[in-house]
Amino acid sequence: MIPLDLEHLLTNPDPTNTRPRRNTQTGNPLPNTPTLDDWLWDAAAKAVTKYGRIELTHLIHNTDRTVGARLAGEIARRYADAGLPDDTVRVTFRGSAGQSFGAFCINGMTLILIGEANDYVGKSMAGGAIIVRPPETATWATEENFIIGNTVLYGATGGKLFAAGRAGERFAVRNSGATAVVEGAGDHACEYMTGGTVIVLGETGHNLGAGLTGGYAFVLDRAGTLAARLNKQTQMEPLTHNADHENTVFDLVKEHADVTHSRYARGLLDHWRTTRDLFWRIVPS
């Protein structure tokens, strides 16, 4: 047995015993600098309080986090879960969003991001819409590139998310009511999902549907790799076995193509008789 030398861990950091050894402040002071979330509420306040409509635009950076959360909170404070009519506050951002873009989004909010976003997009989303798409000048294939990060729609209960690109790991984890369309996803997609509708228009990672107990998950399996990547407690059903499901998927893919301007999604619609045969619904065993 080799003895461990703990001297450096046990050394007294203050031999004079004049400095505190525990926290003596009640909390860390809030930053004094205004945030993009503050700007958004200030700009939209009149529309929210007077029940009007407004369209806004602004640049966004990866240091701008939880953009939309304060606005969502103020709407919920006044109108509870009902929120406001669709598109009451419509905001277009350009750039790279920091974590938790659109967190707690609620009815009445439409957040459009032309660029890309980090993790936790739409965290605890309850309503409204989040649209993420690349710039108009982008030339890359959206279905082959990531546009949003990990753990998107964590705990979402409502609303819609459309992203013209791939999502990271744990997409729609604990989703219980949101509707989403993305063009690919990483490992553990639809983990612990209990409700809502998720459509993945491309390749997924491993362990798809772990703990999935409800909702609707549809995956386009062009490469024939889906069966090997499913969680072992799920199974696949062809989309074409249910006309209602096929109509739902078609309508949502069309909405996705319309709002994100995705050429890839538009191509799937143009060849729907072939596309529909590549779709599978994922259900618990």
PDB file of all heavy atoms in Angstrom, residues 108-147:
ATOM      1  N   GLY A 108     -47.906  34.083 -27.433  1.00  0.00           N
ATOM      2  CA  GLY A 108     -47.775  35.499 -27.747  1.00  0.00           C
ATOM      3  C   GLY A 108     -46.388  35.872 -28.210  1.00  0.00           C
ATOM      4  O   GLY A 108     -46.187  36.937 -28.796  1.00  0.00           O
ATOM      5  N   MET A 109     -45.403  34.998 -27.972  1.00  0.00           N
ATOM      6  CA  MET A 109     -44.020  35.275 -28.337  1.00  0.00           C
ATOM      7  C   MET A 109     -43.617  34.471 -29.572  1.00  0.00           C
ATOM      8  O   MET A 109     -43.878  33.269 -29.644  1.00  0.00           O
ATOM      9  CB  MET A 109     -43.069  34.908 -27.183  1.00  0.00           C
ATOM     10  CG  MET A 109     -43.253  35.723 -25.932  1.00  0.00           C
ATOM     11  SD  MET A 109     -42.260  35.092 -24.544  1.00  0.00           S
ATOM     12  CE  MET A 109     -40.580  35.172 -25.214  1.00  0.00           C
ATOM     13  N   THR A 110     -42.980  35.128 -30.526  1.00  0.00           N
ATOM     14  CA  THR A 110     -42.342  34.449 -31.649  1.00  0.00           C
ATOM     15  C   THR A 110     -40.902  34.952 -31.710  1.00  0.00           C
ATOM     16  O   THR A 110     -40.663  36.143 -31.949  1.00  0.00           O
ATOM     17  CB  THR A 110     -43.050  34.746 -32.979  1.00  0.00           C
ATOM     18  OG1 THR A 110     -44.407  34.279 -32.909  1.00  0.00           O
ATOM     19  CG2 THR A 110     -42.346  34.043 -34.132  1.00  0.00           C
ATOM     20  N   LEU A 111     -39.963  34.061 -31.455  1.00  0.00           N
ATOM     21  CA  LEU A 111     -38.542  34.406 -31.453  1.00  0.00           C
ATOM     22  C   LEU A 111     -37.883  33.761 -32.659  1.00  0.00           C
ATOM     23  O   LEU A 111     -37.866  32.527 -32.784  1.00  0.00           O
ATOM     24  CB  LEU A 111     -37.877  33.924 -30.164  1.00  0.00           C
ATOM     25  CG  LEU A 111     -38.486  34.428 -28.851  1.00  0.00           C
ATOM     26  CD1 LEU A 111     -37.725  33.866 -27.663  1.00  0.00           C
ATOM     27  CD2 LEU A 111     -38.509  35.949 -28.805  1.00  0.00           C
ATOM     28  N   ILE A 112     -37.354  34.578 -33.535  1.00  0.00           N
ATOM     29  CA  ILE A 112     -36.683  34.098 -34.742  1.00  0.00           C
ATOM     30  C   ILE A 112     -35.194  34.374 -34.600  1.00  0.00           C
ATOM     31  O   ILE A 112     -34.793  35.519 -34.346  1.00  0.00           O
ATOM     32  CB  ILE A 112     -37.235  34.801 -35.994  1.00  0.00           C
ATOM     33  CG1 ILE A 112     -38.742  34.576 -36.104  1.00  0.00           C
ATOM     34  CG2 ILE A 112     -36.532  34.309 -37.256  1.00  0.00           C
ATOM     35  CD1 ILE A 112     -39.418  35.451 -37.138  1.00  0.00           C
ATOM     36  N   LEU A 113     -34.395  33.353 -34.770  1.00  0.00           N
ATOM     37  CA  LEU A 113     -32.937  33.502 -34.690  1.00  0.00           C
ATOM     38  C   LEU A 113     -32.333  33.142 -36.031  1.00  0.00           C
ATOM     39  O   LEU A 113     -32.446  31.996 -36.485  1.00  0.00           O
ATOM     40  CB  LEU A 113     -32.370  32.600 -33.591  1.00  0.00           C
ATOM     41  CG  LEU A 113     -30.837  32.533 -33.505  1.00  0.00           C
ATOM     42  CD1 LEU A 113     -30.241  33.907 -33.226  1.00  0.00           C
ATOM     43  CD2 LEU A 113     -30.406  31.522 -32.445  1.00  0.00           C
ATOM     44  N   ILE A 114     -31.707  34.119 -36.658  1.00  0.00           N
ATOM     45  CA  ILE A 114     -30.987  33.873 -37.910  1.00  0.00           C
ATOM     46  C   ILE A 114     -29.516  33.748 -37.542  1.00  0.00           C
ATOM     47  O   ILE A 114     -28.825  34.742 -37.319  1.00  0.00           O
ATOM     48  CB  ILE A 114     -31.227  35.012 -38.918  1.00  0.00           C
ATOM     49  CG1 ILE A 114     -32.726  35.154 -39.189  1.00  0.00           C
ATOM     50  CG2 ILE A 114     -30.481  34.742 -40.219  1.00  0.00           C
ATOM     51  CD1 ILE A 114     -33.087  36.319 -40.077  1.00  0.00           C
ATOM     52  N   GLY A 115     -29.067  32.528 -37.428  1.00  0.00           N
ATOM     53  CA  GLY A 115     -27.709  32.262 -36.962  1.00  0.00           C
ATOM     54  C   GLY A 115     -27.622  30.890 -36.340  1.00  0.00           C
ATOM     55  O   GLY A 115     -27.896  29.886 -36.989  1.00  0.00           O
ATOM     56  N   GLU A 116     -27.315  30.833 -35.051  1.00  0.00           N
ATOM     57  CA  GLU A 116     -27.164  29.557 -34.357  1.00  0.00           C
ATOM     58  C   GLU A 116     -27.342  29.794 -32.867  1.00  0.00           C
ATOM     59  O   GLU A 116     -27.306  30.942 -32.399  1.00  0.00           O
ATOM     60  CB  GLU A 116     -25.762  28.978 -34.613  1.00  0.00           C
ATOM     61  CG  GLU A 116     -24.655  29.917 -34.149  1.00  0.00           C
ATOM     62  CD  GLU A 116     -23.282  29.506 -34.642  1.00  0.00           C
ATOM     63  OE1 GLU A 116     -23.190  28.481 -35.343  1.00  0.00           O
ATOM     64  OE2 GLU A 116     -22.311  30.206 -34.317  1.00  0.00           O
ATOM     65  N   ALA A 117     -27.541  28.703 -32.121  1.00  0.00           N
ATOM     66  CA  ALA A 117     -27.784  28.837 -30.687  1.00  0.00           C
ATOM     67  C   ALA A 117     -27.032  27.764 -29.918  1.00  0.00           C
ATOM     68  O   ALA A 117     -26.780  26.668 -30.428  1.00  0.00           O
ATOM     69  CB  ALA A 117     -29.273  28.738 -30.380  1.00  0.00           C
ATOM     70  N   ASN A 118     -26.705  28.085 -28.668  1.00  0.00           N
ATOM     71  CA  ASN A 118     -26.028  27.149 -27.775  1.00  0.00           C
ATOM     72  C   ASN A 118     -27.051  26.183 -27.157  1.00  0.00           C
ATOM     73  O   ASN A 118     -28.140  25.993 -27.676  1.00  0.00           O
ATOM     74  CB  ASN A 118     -25.294  27.930 -26.684  1.00  0.00           C
ATOM     75  CG  ASN A 118     -23.925  28.398 -27.139  1.00  0.00           C
ATOM     76  OD1 ASN A 118     -22.932  27.717 -26.979  1.00  0.00           O
ATOM     77  ND2 ASN A 118     -23.879  29.592 -27.723  1.00  0.00           N
ATOM     78  N   ASP A 119     -26.706  25.600 -26.027  1.00  0.00           N
ATOM     79  CA  ASP A 119     -27.535  24.592 -25.368  1.00  0.00           C
ATOM     80  C   ASP A 119     -28.817  25.189 -24.772  1.00  0.00           C
ATOM     81  O   ASP A 119     -28.916  26.390 -24.548  1.00  0.00           O
ATOM     82  CB  ASP A 119     -26.753  23.908 -24.242  1.00  0.00           C
ATOM     83  CG  ASP A 119     -25.480  23.238 -24.735  1.00  0.00           C
ATOM     84  OD1 ASP A 119     -25.386  22.970 -25.943  1.00  0.00           O
ATOM     85  OD2 ASP A 119     -24.575  22.991 -23.912  1.00  0.00           O
ATOM     86  N   TYR A 120     -29.756  24.302 -24.465  1.00  0.00           N
ATOM     87  CA  TYR A 120     -30.982  24.603 -23.710  1.00  0.00           C
ATOM     88  C   TYR A 120     -31.933  25.563 -24.426  1.00  0.00           C
ATOM     89  O   TYR A 120     -32.690  26.295 -23.775  1.00  0.00           O
ATOM     90  CB  TYR A 120     -30.646  25.147 -22.322  1.00  0.00           C
ATOM     91  CG  TYR A 120     -30.069  24.102 -21.394  1.00  0.00           C
ATOM     92  CD1 TYR A 120     -28.704  24.016 -21.169  1.00  0.00           C
ATOM     93  CD2 TYR A 120     -30.910  23.194 -20.751  1.00  0.00           C
ATOM     94  CE1 TYR A 120     -28.175  23.051 -20.330  1.00  0.00           C
ATOM     95  CE2 TYR A 120     -30.388  22.222 -19.906  1.00  0.00           C
ATOM     96  CZ  TYR A 120     -29.020  22.159 -19.702  1.00  0.00           C
ATOM     97  OH  TYR A 120     -28.506  21.190 -18.876  1.00  0.00           O
ATOM     98  N   VAL A 121     -31.933  25.574 -25.746  1.00  0.00           N
ATOM     99  CA  VAL A 121     -32.933  26.368 -26.466  1.00  0.00           C
ATOM    100  C   VAL A 121     -34.331  25.895 -26.040  1.00  0.00           C
ATOM    101  O   VAL A 121     -34.605  24.697 -25.959  1.00  0.00           O
ATOM    102  CB  VAL A 121     -32.774  26.200 -27.991  1.00  0.00           C
ATOM    103  CG1 VAL A 121     -33.924  26.885 -28.730  1.00  0.00           C
ATOM    104  CG2 VAL A 121     -31.436  26.758 -28.452  1.00  0.00           C
ATOM    105  N   GLY A 122     -35.223  26.830 -25.754  1.00  0.00           N
ATOM    106  CA  GLY A 122     -36.596  26.482 -25.427  1.00  0.00           C
ATOM    107  C   GLY A 122     -36.760  25.726 -24.119  1.00  0.00           C
ATOM    108  O   GLY A 122     -37.747  25.005 -23.943  1.00  0.00           O
ATOM    109  N   LYS A 123     -35.839  25.917 -23.188  1.00  0.00           N
ATOM    110  CA  LYS A 123     -35.951  25.230 -21.895  1.00  0.00           C
ATOM    111  C   LYS A 123     -37.266  25.587 -21.223  1.00  0.00           C
ATOM    112  O   LYS A 123     -37.634  26.754 -21.105  1.00  0.00           O
ATOM    113  CB  LYS A 123     -34.775  25.640 -21.005  1.00  0.00           C
ATOM    114  CG  LYS A 123     -34.790  25.045 -19.615  1.00  0.00           C
ATOM    115  CD  LYS A 123     -33.521  25.394 -18.860  1.00  0.00           C
ATOM    116  CE  LYS A 123     -33.418  26.880 -18.599  1.00  0.00           C
ATOM    117  NZ  LYS A 123     -32.199  27.227 -17.836  1.00  0.00           N
ATOM    118  N   SER A 124     -38.017  24.584 -20.806  1.00  0.00           N
ATOM    119  CA  SER A 124     -39.321  24.778 -20.140  1.00  0.00           C
ATOM    120  C   SER A 124     -40.270  25.638 -20.976  1.00  0.00           C
ATOM    121  O   SER A 124     -41.122  26.339 -20.436  1.00  0.00           O
ATOM    122  CB  SER A 124     -39.131  25.384 -18.754  1.00  0.00           C
ATOM    123  OG  SER A 124     -38.460  24.476 -17.900  1.00  0.00           O
ATOM    124  N   MET A 125     -40.150  25.557 -22.263  1.00  0.00           N
ATOM    125  CA  MET A 125     -41.036  26.297 -23.170  1.00  0.00           C
ATOM    126  C   MET A 125     -42.483  25.872 -22.926  1.00  0.00           C
ATOM    127  O   MET A 125     -42.787  24.689 -22.798  1.00  0.00           O
ATOM    128  CB  MET A 125     -40.626  25.988 -24.612  1.00  0.00           C
ATOM    129  CG  MET A 125     -41.403  26.717 -25.676  1.00  0.00           C
ATOM    130  SD  MET A 125     -40.747  26.278 -27.315  1.00  0.00           S
ATOM    131  CE  MET A 125     -41.669  27.407 -28.352  1.00  0.00           C
ATOM    132  N   ALA A 126     -43.395  26.863 -22.861  1.00  0.00           N
ATOM    133  CA  ALA A 126     -44.800  26.575 -22.584  1.00  0.00           C
ATOM    134  C   ALA A 126     -45.725  26.952 -23.730  1.00  0.00           C
ATOM    135  O   ALA A 126     -46.875  26.519 -23.766  1.00  0.00           O
ATOM    136  CB  ALA A 126     -45.242  27.303 -21.320  1.00  0.00           C
ATOM    137  N   GLY A 127     -45.256  27.757 -24.669  1.00  0.00           N
ATOM    138  CA  GLY A 127     -46.092  28.201 -25.780  1.00  0.00           C
ATOM    139  C   GLY A 127     -45.295  29.083 -26.725  1.00  0.00           C
ATOM    140  O   GLY A 127     -44.073  29.224 -26.593  1.00  0.00           O
ATOM    141  N   GLY A 128     -45.974  29.680 -27.673  1.00  0.00           N
ATOM    142  CA  GLY A 128     -45.281  30.545 -28.625  1.00  0.00           C
ATOM    143  C   GLY A 128     -44.501  29.741 -29.645  1.00  0.00           C
ATOM    144  O   GLY A 128     -44.749  28.550 -29.860  1.00  0.00           O
ATOM    145  N   ALA A 129     -43.534  30.389 -30.284  1.00  0.00           N
ATOM    146  CA  ALA A 129     -42.754  29.738 -31.334  1.00  0.00           C
ATOM    147  C   ALA A 129     -41.312  30.214 -31.300  1.00  0.00           C
ATOM    148  O   ALA A 129     -41.033  31.389 -31.041  1.00  0.00           O
ATOM    149  CB  ALA A 129     -43.365  30.025 -32.703  1.00  0.00           C
ATOM    150  N   ILE A 130     -40.403  29.282 -31.567  1.00  0.00           N
ATOM    151  CA  ILE A 130     -38.980  29.576 -31.724  1.00  0.00           C
ATOM    152  C   ILE A 130     -38.561  29.034 -33.079  1.00  0.00           C
ATOM    153  O   ILE A 130     -38.793  27.857 -33.388  1.00  0.00           O
ATOM    154  CB  ILE A 130     -38.136  28.935 -30.610  1.00  0.00           C
ATOM    155  CG1 ILE A 130     -38.541  29.483 -29.237  1.00  0.00           C
ATOM    156  CG2 ILE A 130     -36.647  29.182 -30.855  1.00  0.00           C
ATOM    157  CD1 ILE A 130     -37.842  28.785 -28.075  1.00  0.00           C
ATOM    158  N   ILE A 131     -37.963  29.888 -33.885  1.00  0.00           N
ATOM    159  CA  ILE A 131     -37.527  29.516 -35.236  1.00  0.00           C
ATOM    160  C   ILE A 131     -36.041  29.826 -35.355  1.00  0.00           C
ATOM    161  O   ILE A 131     -35.624  30.960 -35.105  1.00  0.00           O
ATOM    162  CB  ILE A 131     -38.319  30.290 -36.298  1.00  0.00           C
ATOM    163  CG1 ILE A 131     -39.822  29.984 -36.172  1.00  0.00           C
ATOM    164  CG2 ILE A 131     -37.821  29.958 -37.698  1.00  0.00           C
ATOM    165  CD1 ILE A 131     -40.712  30.981 -36.895  1.00  0.00           C
ATOM    166  N   VAL A 132     -35.252  28.827 -35.734  1.00  0.00           N
ATOM    167  CA  VAL A 132     -33.809  29.006 -35.883  1.00  0.00           C
ATOM    168  C   VAL A 132     -33.426  28.594 -37.299  1.00  0.00           C
ATOM    169  O   VAL A 132     -33.726  27.469 -37.724  1.00  0.00           O
ATOM    170  CB  VAL A 132     -33.010  28.182 -34.859  1.00  0.00           C
ATOM    171  CG1 VAL A 132     -31.520  28.535 -34.944  1.00  0.00           C
ATOM    172  CG2 VAL A 132     -33.539  28.407 -33.441  1.00  0.00           C
ATOM    173  N   ARG A 133     -32.792  29.504 -38.018  1.00  0.00           N
ATOM    174  CA  ARG A 133     -32.394  29.199 -39.387  1.00  0.00           C
ATOM    175  C   ARG A 133     -31.092  29.894 -39.723  1.00  0.00           C
ATOM    176  O   ARG A 133     -30.720  30.897 -39.091  1.00  0.00           O
ATOM    177  CB  ARG A 133     -33.487  29.614 -40.373  1.00  0.00           C
ATOM    178  CG  ARG A 133     -33.825  31.104 -40.387  1.00  0.00           C
ATOM    179  CD  ARG A 133     -34.944  31.377 -41.379  1.00  0.00           C
ATOM    180  NE  ARG A 133     -35.376  32.760 -41.425  1.00  0.00           N
ATOM    181  CZ  ARG A 133     -34.820  33.706 -42.177  1.00  0.00           C
ATOM    182  NH1 ARG A 133     -33.766  33.420 -42.922  1.00  0.00           N
ATOM    183  NH2 ARG A 133     -35.301  34.934 -42.172  1.00  0.00           N
ATOM    184  N   PRO A 134     -30.358  29.387 -40.700  1.00  0.00           N
ATOM    185  CA  PRO A 134     -29.091  30.018 -41.069  1.00  0.00           C
ATOM    186  C   PRO A 134     -29.312  31.315 -41.837  1.00  0.00           C
ATOM    187  O   PRO A 134     -30.435  31.596 -42.288  1.00  0.00           O
ATOM    188  CB  PRO A 134     -28.423  28.958 -41.960  1.00  0.00           C
ATOM    189  CG  PRO A 134     -29.556  28.176 -42.516  1.00  0.00           C
ATOM    190  CD  PRO A 134     -30.628  28.162 -41.469  1.00  0.00           C
ATOM    191  N   PRO A 135     -28.264  32.124 -41.987  1.00  0.00           N
ATOM    192  CA  PRO A 135     -28.391  33.361 -42.764  1.00  0.00           C
ATOM    193  C   PRO A 135     -28.801  33.074 -44.214  1.00  0.00           C
ATOM    194  O   PRO A 135     -28.580  31.982 -44.737  1.00  0.00           O
ATOM    195  CB  PRO A 135     -26.978  33.964 -42.709  1.00  0.00           C
ATOM    196  CG  PRO A 135     -26.348  33.336 -41.507  1.00  0.00           C
ATOM    197  CD  PRO A 135     -26.928  31.965 -41.397  1.00  0.00           C
ATOM    198  N   GLU A 136     -29.362  34.077 -44.842  1.00  0.00           N
ATOM    199  CA  GLU A 136     -29.830  33.924 -46.211  1.00  0.00           C
ATOM    200  C   GLU A 136     -28.692  33.576 -47.173  1.00  0.00           C
ATOM    201  O   GLU A 136     -28.927  32.941 -48.206  1.00  0.00           O
ATOM    202  CB  GLU A 136     -30.510  35.220 -46.681  1.00  0.00           C
ATOM    203  CG  GLU A 136     -31.778  35.582 -45.918  1.00  0.00           C
ATOM    204  CD  GLU A 136     -31.496  36.307 -44.598  1.00  0.00           C
ATOM    205  OE1 GLU A 136     -30.307  36.430 -44.201  1.00  0.00           O
ATOM    206  OE2 GLU A 136     -32.467  36.748 -43.968  1.00  0.00           O
ATOM    207  N   THR A 137     -27.482  33.988 -46.846  1.00  0.00           N
ATOM    208  CA  THR A 137     -26.344  33.748 -47.734  1.00  0.00           C
ATOM    209  C   THR A 137     -25.672  32.402 -47.496  1.00  0.00           C
ATOM    210  O   THR A 137     -24.697  32.068 -48.183  1.00  0.00           O
ATOM    211  CB  THR A 137     -25.296  34.864 -47.541  1.00  0.00           C
ATOM    212  OG1 THR A 137     -24.923  34.925 -46.152  1.00  0.00           O
ATOM    213  CG2 THR A 137     -25.853  36.205 -47.971  1.00  0.00           C
ATOM    214  N   ALA A 138     -26.169  31.622 -46.530  1.00  0.00           N
ATOM    215  CA  ALA A 138     -25.536  30.333 -46.211  1.00  0.00           C
ATOM    216  C   ALA A 138     -25.627  29.384 -47.398  1.00  0.00           C
ATOM    217  O   ALA A 138     -26.659  29.298 -48.066  1.00  0.00           O
ATOM    218  CB  ALA A 138     -26.200  29.716 -44.991  1.00  0.00           C
ATOM    219  N   THR A 139     -24.549  28.659 -47.654  1.00  0.00           N
ATOM    220  CA  THR A 139     -24.512  27.722 -48.776  1.00  0.00           C
ATOM    221  C   THR A 139     -24.393  26.268 -48.324  1.00  0.00           C
ATOM    222  O   THR A 139     -24.439  25.367 -49.149  1.00  0.00           O
ATOM    223  CB  THR A 139     -23.324  28.049 -49.698  1.00  0.00           C
ATOM    224  OG1 THR A 139     -22.100  27.991 -48.938  1.00  0.00           O
ATOM    225  CG2 THR A 139     -23.470  29.438 -50.301  1.00  0.00           C
ATOM    226  N   TRP A 140     -24.235  26.047 -47.015  1.00  0.00           N
ATOM    227  CA  TRP A 140     -24.048  24.676 -46.543  1.00  0.00           C
ATOM    228  C   TRP A 140     -25.379  23.925 -46.469  1.00  0.00           C
ATOM    229  O   TRP A 140     -26.457  24.512 -46.423  1.00  0.00           O
ATOM    230  CB  TRP A 140     -23.359  24.682 -45.182  1.00  0.00           C
ATOM    231  CG  TRP A 140     -24.115  25.418 -44.109  1.00  0.00           C
ATOM    232  CD1 TRP A 140     -25.164  24.981 -43.366  1.00  0.00           C
ATOM    233  CD2 TRP A 140     -23.864  26.758 -43.677  1.00  0.00           C
ATOM    234  NE1 TRP A 140     -25.590  25.935 -42.492  1.00  0.00           N
ATOM    235  CE2 TRP A 140     -24.816  27.039 -42.654  1.00  0.00           C
ATOM    236  CE3 TRP A 140     -22.936  27.743 -44.026  1.00  0.00           C
ATOM    237  CZ2 TRP A 140     -24.848  28.268 -41.993  1.00  0.00           C
ATOM    238  CZ3 TRP A 140     -22.990  28.963 -43.373  1.00  0.00           C
ATOM    239  CH2 TRP A 140     -23.925  29.218 -42.374  1.00  0.00           C
ATOM    240  N   ALA A 141     -25.254  22.596 -46.439  1.00  0.00           N
ATOM    241  CA  ALA A 141     -26.434  21.739 -46.324  1.00  0.00           C
ATOM    242  C   ALA A 141     -26.908  21.746 -44.882  1.00  0.00           C
ATOM    243  O   ALA A 141     -26.189  21.301 -43.985  1.00  0.00           O
ATOM    244  CB  ALA A 141     -26.102  20.319 -46.774  1.00  0.00           C
ATOM    245  N   THR A 142     -28.100  22.245 -44.643  1.00  0.00           N
ATOM    246  CA  THR A 142     -28.584  22.382 -43.261  1.00  0.00           C
ATOM    247  C   THR A 142     -28.687  21.029 -42.564  1.00  0.00           C
ATOM    248  O   THR A 142     -28.409  20.921 -41.367  1.00  0.00           O
ATOM    249  CB  THR A 142     -29.946  23.081 -43.230  1.00  0.00           C
ATOM    250  OG1 THR A 142     -30.857  22.399 -44.098  1.00  0.00           O
ATOM    251  CG2 THR A 142     -29.812  24.525 -43.676  1.00  0.00           C
ATOM    252  N   GLU A 143     -29.083  19.993 -43.295  1.00  0.00           N
ATOM    253  CA  GLU A 143     -29.275  18.680 -42.675  1.00  0.00           C
ATOM    254  C   GLU A 143     -27.963  18.022 -42.249  1.00  0.00           C
ATOM    255  O   GLU A 143     -27.972  17.017 -41.534  1.00  0.00           O
ATOM    256  CB  GLU A 143     -30.043  17.745 -43.629  1.00  0.00           C
ATOM    257  CG  GLU A 143     -29.268  17.260 -44.833  1.00  0.00           C
ATOM    258  CD  GLU A 143     -29.269  18.227 -46.020  1.00  0.00           C
ATOM    259  OE1 GLU A 143     -29.638  19.411 -45.816  1.00  0.00           O
ATOM    260  OE2 GLU A 143     -28.904  17.797 -47.132  1.00  0.00           O
ATOM    261  N   GLU A 144     -26.835  18.596 -42.661  1.00  0.00           N
ATOM    262  CA  GLU A 144     -25.528  18.035 -42.316  1.00  0.00           C
ATOM    263  C   GLU A 144     -24.796  18.864 -41.266  1.00  0.00           C
ATOM    264  O   GLU A 144     -23.685  18.504 -40.857  1.00  0.00           O
ATOM    265  CB  GLU A 144     -24.669  17.925 -43.569  1.00  0.00           C
ATOM    266  CG  GLU A 144     -25.226  16.977 -44.623  1.00  0.00           C
ATOM    267  CD  GLU A 144     -24.399  16.969 -45.894  1.00  0.00           C
ATOM    268  OE1 GLU A 144     -23.368  17.702 -45.935  1.00  0.00           O
ATOM    269  OE2 GLU A 144     -24.777  16.268 -46.843  1.00  0.00           O
ATOM    270  N   ASN A 145     -25.394  19.954 -40.809  1.00  0.00           N
ATOM    271  CA  ASN A 145     -24.706  20.860 -39.897  1.00  0.00           C
ATOM    272  C   ASN A 145     -25.577  21.178 -38.682  1.00  0.00           C
ATOM    273  O   ASN A 145     -26.796  21.304 -38.777  1.00  0.00           O
ATOM    274  CB  ASN A 145     -24.347  22.159 -40.628  1.00  0.00           C
ATOM    275  CG  ASN A 145     -23.259  21.963 -41.658  1.00  0.00           C
ATOM    276  OD1 ASN A 145     -22.084  22.029 -41.340  1.00  0.00           O
ATOM    277  ND2 ASN A 145     -23.656  21.702 -42.903  1.00  0.00           N
ATOM    278  N   PHE A 146     -24.909  21.336 -37.534  1.00  0.00           N
ATOM    279  CA  PHE A 146     -25.608  21.639 -36.287  1.00  0.00           C
ATOM    280  C   PHE A 146     -25.929  23.130 -36.220  1.00  0.00           C
ATOM    281  O   PHE A 146     -25.096  23.968 -36.541  1.00  0.00           O
ATOM    282  CB  PHE A 146     -24.757  21.243 -35.085  1.00  0.00           C
ATOM    283  CG  PHE A 146     -24.660  19.762 -34.884  1.00  0.00           C
ATOM    284  CD1 PHE A 146     -23.703  19.009 -35.555  1.00  0.00           C
ATOM    285  CD2 PHE A 146     -25.547  19.103 -34.046  1.00  0.00           C
ATOM    286  CE1 PHE A 146     -23.623  17.642 -35.393  1.00  0.00           C
ATOM    287  CE2 PHE A 146     -25.477  17.738 -33.867  1.00  0.00           C
ATOM    288  CZ  PHE A 146     -24.510  16.994 -34.541  1.00  0.00           C
ATOM    289  N   ILE A 147     -27.132  23.432 -35.747  1.00  0.00           N
ATOM    290  CA  ILE A 147     -27.539  24.833 -35.621  1.00  0.00           C
ATOM    291  C   ILE A 147     -27.982  25.160 -34.204  1.00  0.00           C
ATOM    292  O   ILE A 147     -28.024  26.324 -33.812  1.00  0.00           O
ATOM    293  CB  ILE A 147     -28.655  25.156 -36.641  1.00  0.00           C
ATOM    294  CG1 ILE A 147     -28.793  26.664 -36.828  1.00  0.00           C
ATOM    295  CG2 ILE A 147     -29.983  24.519 -36.237  1.00  0.00           C
ATOM    296  CD1 ILE A 147     -29.631  27.065 -38.026  1.00  0.00           C
TER     297      ILE A 147
END
